[in-house]
């Protein structure tokens, strides 16, 4: 059975927000792109998200079967992610109210994203008698096991909330095999209810382009070594690792300095919001003011030009459930140097589409970057391999596999012995 209509819940961040700052990132891209591809296959999608401005329309019709519904729950501005659990009851009530005005059976599936949404999704599932499919995106236990220096651990309340959602979901979608194992080993998820579905890349937007044209349009020198960082500026993403590696690289190869450009495309997020100038201060401290360029978050089409203009994209994260930046960069024909953590070990084909670095030691990162920039023939081989590897991550495949997960969730719901327990009292 293919569902006619899916209620997606993305409570803490809207798929309409600009990725790269605040709480907006790869999950935002995931939700809107998956919704669009499902709609193209005949399944309409309503995305419920918390309204963050009184100026937002209650419903935004994105066209072609996708609508974003802004739910009023708490003050429009000023709430941090840690304060959102207090608004779960209000948010859930408004979601149920929105469905109540429709005909019985309006939604066939609830698909929640991130643990906060999963708590609301479990309540909606029990009220509407439809299956709950949940995507974690990130997990507290995983993040806390690999904290970056200066980062703040996730609280016990989130760990408990995640365990409750894992227990309640009819099906869990994991981005990679490693995430599936983490769900099973760390959260005691039923292996039969965990399915691996890789996120996708819009291969029409992120594709190989003429590098000279891209650089000319962005004001970059044609002969430059461009080492790009793209994403939210927070400790988890490791931008300071890249800057220290660049300083180490230049100390050993000062002749590269005149040609080196390091664009940092993104804005503060998470713990980075507490010290929004910290990365700029580190840049000055390391004497890299003539090398590093800070660029505000940009739209997908513009980001594709930055990828195409880069010599290499650095992804020094301490953890990634998938690693969308690495996938997008490779689809654009640009090699990646990434940390060998989380989903990046799936997204990057080491030695063929990019290089994986074990750990975050500055000398190891500097050596890997230097190889891609200067080793004879390596960049060309990796660039060709990057395009070929990225072809396996199209959104169309993601949508097809997600629809199969929905079918399995319906089967689990119809089987009284296989039905997960509800979250009775969770939101009280």
């Amino acid at each position: 059975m293919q569902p006619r209509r899916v209620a997606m819940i993305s409570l803490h961040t809207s798929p309409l927000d600009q990725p790269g700052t605040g709480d907006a990132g790869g999950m935002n891209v995931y939700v809107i792109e998956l919704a669009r591809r499902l709609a193209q296959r005949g399944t309409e999608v309503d995305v419920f998200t918390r309204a963050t401005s009184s100026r937002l329309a209650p419903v935004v019709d994105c066209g072609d079967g996708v609508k974003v519904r802004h739910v009023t729950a708490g003050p429009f501005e000023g709430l941090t992610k840690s304060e959102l659990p207090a608004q779960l009851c209000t948010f859930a009530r408004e979601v149920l109210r929105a469905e109540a005005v429709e005909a019985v059976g309006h939604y066939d599936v609830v698909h929640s994203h991130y643990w906060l949404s999963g708590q609301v999704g479990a309540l909606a599932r029990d009220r509407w008698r439809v299956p709950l499919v949940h995507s974690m995106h990130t997990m507290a236990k995983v993040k806390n096991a690999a904290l970056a220096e200066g980062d703040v651990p996730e609280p016990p309340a989130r760990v408990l909330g995640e365990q409750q959602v894992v227990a309640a979901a009819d099906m869990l979608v994991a981005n990679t095999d490693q995430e599936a194992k983490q769900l099973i080993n760390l959260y005691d998820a039923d292996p039969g209810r965990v399915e691996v579905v890789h996120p996708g890349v819009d291969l029409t937007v992120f594709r190989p382009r003429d590098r000279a044209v891209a650089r000319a349009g962005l004001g970059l020198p044609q002969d430059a070594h461009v080492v790009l960082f793209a994403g939210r500026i927070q400790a988890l993403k490791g931008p300071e690792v890249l800057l220290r590696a660049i300083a180490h690289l230049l100390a050993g190869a000062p002749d590269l300095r005149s040609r080196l450009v390091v664009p940092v495309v993104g804005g503060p997020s998470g713990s980075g919001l507490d010290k929004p100038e910290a990365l700029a201060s580190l840049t000055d401290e390391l004497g890299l003011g003539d090398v590093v360029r800070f660029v505000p978050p940009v739209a997908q089409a513009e980001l594709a030009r930055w990828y195409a203009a880069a010599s290499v994209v650095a992804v020094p994260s301490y953890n990634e459930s998938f690693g969308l930046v690495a996938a997008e960069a490779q689809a654009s024909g640009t090699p990646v140097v990434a940390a060998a953590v989380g989903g990046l070990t799936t997204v990057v084909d080491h030695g063929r589409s990019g290089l994986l670095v074990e750990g975050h030691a500055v000398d190891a990162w500097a050596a890997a970057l230097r190889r891609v920039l200067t080793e004879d023939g390596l960049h060309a081989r990796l660039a060709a391999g990057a395009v070929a590897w990225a072809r396996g991550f199209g959104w169309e495949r993601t949508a097809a596999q997600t629809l199969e997960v929905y079918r399995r969730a319906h089967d689990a719901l119809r089987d009284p012995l296989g039905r997960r327990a509800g979250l009775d009292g969770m939101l009280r």
Side-chain angles (χ1 to χ4, degrees):
M1 167 191 171
Q2 176 165 328
R4 297 161 301 143
R5 191 175 293 106
V6 173
M8 281 198 185
I9 303 179
S10 179
L11 187 156
H12 78 285
T13 181
S14 170
L16 301 181
D17 289 345
Q18 169 64 56
T21 190
D23 289 324
M27 195 185 97
N28 300 68
V29 177
Y30 182 106
V31 170
I32 193 63
E33 293 292 344
L34 176 59
R36 287 171 175 161
R37 295 323 190 281
L38 291 174
Q40 289 171 4
R41 288 172 170 265
T43 295
E44 296 180 7
V45 180
D46 286 357
V47 182
F48 290 88
T49 189
R50 197 182 77 86
T52 55
S53 170
S54 60
R55 297 185 298 274
L56 292 170
V59 180
V60 176
D61 191 337
C62 300
D64 301 323
V66 178
K67 294 178 181 177
V68 175
R69 296 181 176 271
H70 293 109
V71 177
T72 300
F76 291 117
E77 298 177 354
L79 279 185
T80 65
K81 192 188 298 186
S82 63
E83 295 171 312
L84 288 178
Q87 301 303 323
L88 286 177
C89 287
T90 301
F91 187 92
R93 182 187 68 222
E94 295 304 314
V95 169
L96 296 181
R97 181 177 293 175
E99 186 271 348
V101 302
E102 306 290 350
V104 175
H106 187 67
Y107 296 112
D108 299 309
V109 176
V110 179
H111 188 169
S112 53
H113 300 269
Y114 194 67
W115 75 277
L116 293 170
S117 301
Q119 298 235 338
V120 176
L123 186 65
R125 185 276 309 274
D126 288 346
R127 176 65 181 84
W128 300 341
R129 299 181 183 277
V130 299
L132 171 64
V133 174
H134 182 72
S135 297
M136 295 292 280
H137 293 283
T138 63
M139 290 177 277
K141 289 184 178 181
V142 176
K143 180 180 178 182
N144 288 347
L147 281 178
E149 182 178 350
D151 209 353
V152 180
E154 295 297 320
R158 176 179 171 182
V159 175
L160 175 60
E162 289 177 342
Q163 290 173 329
Q164 292 172 330
V165 173
V166 168
D170 295 290
M171 287 294 297
L172 293 158
V173 176
N175 287 336
T176 63
D177 290 336
Q178 183 178 31
E179 185 180 349
K181 292 175 182 176
Q182 290 165 341
L183 282 166
I184 295 166
N185 296 332
L186 298 179
Y187 290 86
D188 198 29
D190 178 352
R193 296 182 183 277
V194 180
E195 190 69 36
V196 176
V197 179
H198 297 320
V201 177
D202 189 335
L203 299 176
T204 65
V205 174
F206 300 102
R207 65 184 192 278
R209 302 166 187 260
D210 187 291
R211 177 164 293 161
V213 173
R215 290 189 172 186
L218 296 171
L220 295 169
Q222 292 296 331
D223 65 343
H225 294 306
V226 180
V227 181
L228 175 68
F229 174 93
R232 290 175 289 166
I233 299 176
Q234 61 179 120
L236 177 69
K237 301 296 182 179
E240 79 291 340
V241 174
L242 173 60
L243 295 190
R244 295 185 186 280
I246 291 296
H248 189 88
L249 172 65
L250 291 177
D255 54 306
L256 294 178
R257 191 176 201 106
S258 62
R259 296 178 57 194
L260 194 63
V261 180
V262 183
V264 176
V265 181
S269 173
S271 58
L273 291 170
D274 296 332
K275 298 179 180 179
E277 304 300 325
L279 202 63
S281 298
L282 179 60
T283 299
D284 294 337
E285 177 187 325
L286 295 173
L288 298 177
D290 60 324
V291 171
V292 176
R293 299 185 186 183
F294 289 98
V295 181
V298 297
Q300 295 279 282
E302 183 75 358
L303 183 59
R305 290 208 300 158
W306 279 103
Y307 288 142
S311 308
V312 60
V313 172
V315 189
S317 303
Y318 284 84
N319 185 61
E320 290 284 352
S321 61
F322 181 63
L324 194 58
V325 165
E328 291 171 346
Q330 291 173 134
S332 303
T334 301
V336 170
V337 173
V341 298
L344 291 169
T345 59
T346 297
V347 175
V348 179
D349 189 8
H350 178 64
R352 294 180 177 86
S353 69
L355 300 179
L356 292 170
V357 180
E358 296 287 346
H360 295 82
V362 169
D363 56 345
W365 273 86
L369 291 170
R370 184 170 183 173
R371 281 192 63 197
V372 177
L373 295 176
T374 64
E375 187 174 310
D376 188 39
L378 179 60
H379 184 277
R381 293 197 304 274
L382 293 179
V387 175
W389 187 246
R391 290 196 191 107
F393 297 110
W395 278 114
E396 289 72 18
R397 177 180 295 183
T398 304
Q401 293 176 338
T402 301
L403 286 172
E404 177 61 19
V405 174
Y406 293 166
R407 184 194 65 75
R408 288 189 58 194
H410 265 286
D411 290 345
L413 183 69
R414 285 196 297 267
D415 178 3
L417 298 178
R419 177 67 184 272
R420 280 295 202 184
L423 300 189
D424 184 35
M426 177 187 291
L427 299 179
R428 295 178 185 172

